[in-house]
Amino acid sequence: MRRAIVLLLLLGVVLSLGCIGSEATTKSEGGGIKEAKLIIFHAGSLSVPFQQLEKEFAKYAEENFGVKVTFQDEASGSVKAVRKVTDLGRKADIVAVADYTLIPQLMVPNYTDFYVLFATNEIVIAFTDKSKYADEMLKNPDKWYEILARPDVRFGFSDPNQDPCGYRSVMVMKLADLYYKKPIFETLVEKTTNIYANGTHIFAPKEIEVKDRRVVIRPKETDLVALVESGSLDYFFIYKSVAEQHHLKYITLPDEINLRDFSKADFYGQVSITLGSTGKTIKAKPIVYGVTVLKDAPNRDLAIEFLKFLLGETGQRIFRENYQDFINPPVAFGNVPEEIRGLVKVSSE
């Protein structure tokens, strides 16, 4: 009996020490402010607005919840961001992608049961004063495909297997075939890489190969910014918001090919791409960003608060300041959390 009592006392001491140790990891040294970390995987094109959003949310959380928030912020191509969760089994609180369809295709229902459409964009061709034929590109933007095809011009786009901007860029070039009635895709893509098309259906092999040094492909679209700024790359396909954020020159493309115009959705839908990385086929459509909080988010309650912050007035202001259009109201699908229902339009589709 005595031994049992001693064992119980020892167990109580161990448990109390464990609780104290656990509490210490959630409080600052002063013992007043709780600490918490949010893990966010997001598209590279969201880097600038998300950095500002995280900074303002950290201040908001400390003032309103007494929580000091730190962020594990990982920018990548959106396909890669999703596959960190689905293929590599990594934990995250929030996933935000440049193509919302990746969430229902690859994450619902196993990893999340809702998602929100919140922002739009368009594909442009960006460059600097250092770029070859920059003045000509500005004066004659309809000749963009002729300038990119010149033997002394280097141009780039991101990897279609990792990044929506990559597969959107090659779909833009295939749409250009239809719009201009010229073999633009064959000239700029098929002759320079192992990406190919059968009619209007594009195939991106799992391992992308570049056959011409004039073409540069990187994992995500923002990886190409520094190459253009340094003058080692002349032009690249990029989102308009990123071009604006980095103060690059750019030309806009016709609405029939830039993936901006919702009224042109049927025209866009003529083109599709199969990705070697996932085996999934994606139809060209207007650019819409999506975000979700994962079912097993390590800090789900705080992640929902961050999502509210993103979808509310502060998030919309930050996106406007960073040249990206925000959907108002955002559109939510699935088992939408009660906490955000007042900020979104819940769709039954």
Side-chain angles (χ1 to χ4, degrees):
M1 186 68 174
R2 184 178 297 173
R3 291 181 63 188
I5 292 172
V6 171
L7 285 172
L8 285 171
L9 288 172
L10 286 173
L11 180 60
V13 171
V14 170
L15 288 173
S16 66
L17 286 172
C19 290
I20 293 170
S22 175
E23 189 176 351
T25 63
T26 61
K27 288 192 175 182
S28 66
E29 291 182 4
I33 302 295
K34 293 182 179 179
E35 294 182 356
K37 179 172 73 173
L38 284 178
I39 304 170
I40 302 178
F41 299 160
H42 64 77
S45 57
L46 291 173
S47 292
V48 172
F50 263 48
Q51 286 170 6
Q52 185 176 341
L53 191 72
E54 290 164 8
K55 182 178 179 180
E56 294 197 23
F57 179 74
K59 181 180 179 182
Y60 173 81
E62 187 163 346
E63 291 176 351
N64 290 273
F65 311 133
V67 177
K68 184 176 181 180
V69 183
T70 57
F71 292 91
Q72 181 179 323
D73 179 292
E74 298 187 17
S76 68
S78 293
V79 178
K80 185 175 181 180
V82 169
R83 295 182 69 192
K84 287 177 184 179
V85 176
T86 61
D87 295 6
L88 301 180
R90 293 187 56 194
K91 296 292 184 184
D93 294 291
I94 293 168
V95 175
V97 293
D99 182 353
Y100 81 90
T101 63
L102 294 173
I103 300 174
Q105 276 195 348
L106 301 175
M107 306 193 80
V108 174
N110 293 334
Y111 304 95
T112 188
D113 57 5
F114 84 97
Y115 54 98
V116 182
L117 285 54
F118 71 98
T120 62
N121 223 318
E122 68 179 280
I123 298 292
V124 301
I125 298 174
F127 53 101
T128 71
D129 289 332
K130 301 175 185 176
S131 302
K132 293 183 177 69
Y133 311 110
D135 289 341
E136 185 179 352
M137 182 68 89
L138 286 171
K139 291 177 183 176
N140 300 290
D142 283 341
K143 300 297 183 183
W144 63 267
Y145 52 89
E146 294 180 2
I147 294 172
L148 295 190
R150 292 174 182 171
D152 58 341
V153 170
R154 300 189 79 202
F155 72 93
F157 52 90
S158 55
D159 185 348
N161 281 310
Q162 298 189 51
D163 187 24
C165 192
Y167 59 69
R168 284 168 171 156
S169 297
V170 297
M171 289 196 288
V172 160
M173 286 182 267
K174 174 51 72 175
L175 285 167
D177 282 6
L178 305 179
Y179 179 72
Y180 294 102
K181 295 180 171 51
K182 295 185 177 184
I184 294 167
F185 183 89
E186 178 186 357
T187 301
L188 298 181
V189 180
E190 289 187 322
K191 288 184 177 180
T192 60
T193 74
N194 63 341
I195 302 168
Y196 64 98
N198 181 4
T200 58
H201 189 85
I202 304 166
F203 297 87
K206 189 173 183 179
E207 298 296 331
I208 302 296
E209 297 175 4
V210 174
K211 298 185 289 187
D212 189 320
R213 64 170 298 277
R214 294 185 304 113
V215 174
V216 176
I217 298 177
R218 291 291 184 269
K220 61 182 184 293
E221 77 285 342
T222 50
D223 294 336
L224 296 163
V225 173
L227 298 179
V228 170
E229 289 175 335
S230 69
S232 60
L233 189 67
D234 295 303
Y235 300 92
F236 72 126
F237 291 85
I238 189 65
Y239 295 121
K240 180 180 178 180
S241 65
V242 177
E244 292 271 15
Q245 290 160 11
H246 291 272
H247 309 293
L248 297 170
K249 294 182 181 299
Y250 64 89
I251 62 161
T252 58
L253 299 168
D255 283 347
E256 285 81 2
I257 68 176
N258 64 17
L259 303 180
R260 177 190 71 89
D261 192 339
F262 282 80
S263 71
K264 301 291 190 295
D266 288 343
F267 187 83
Y268 300 155
Q270 297 177 86
V271 172
S272 57
I273 186 169
T274 297
L275 304 180
S277 59
T278 65
K280 299 289 185 179
T281 296
I282 298 170
K283 183 184 288 189
K285 65 184 76 66
I287 297 169
V288 180
Y289 287 66
V291 62
T292 188
V293 175
L294 301 186
K295 285 181 177 180
D296 63 349
N299 242 319
R300 184 175 172 83
D301 289 345
L302 191 61
I304 293 292
E305 290 296 334
F306 181 87
L307 183 57
K308 287 170 60 180
F309 201 73
L310 164 64
L311 301 176
E313 290 183 6
T314 302
Q316 293 187 37
R317 170 181 58 78
I318 288 171
F319 271 72
R320 286 196 303 271
E321 290 174 355
N322 288 286
Y323 312 101
Q324 189 160 1
D325 292 333
F326 208 91
I327 298 172
N328 191 15
V331 182
F333 295 81
N335 185 23
V336 182
E338 193 63 39
E339 295 92 333
I340 67 167
R341 282 180 172 264
L343 297 170
V344 301
K345 176 184 177 182
V346 179
S347 175
S348 57
E349 295 182 10

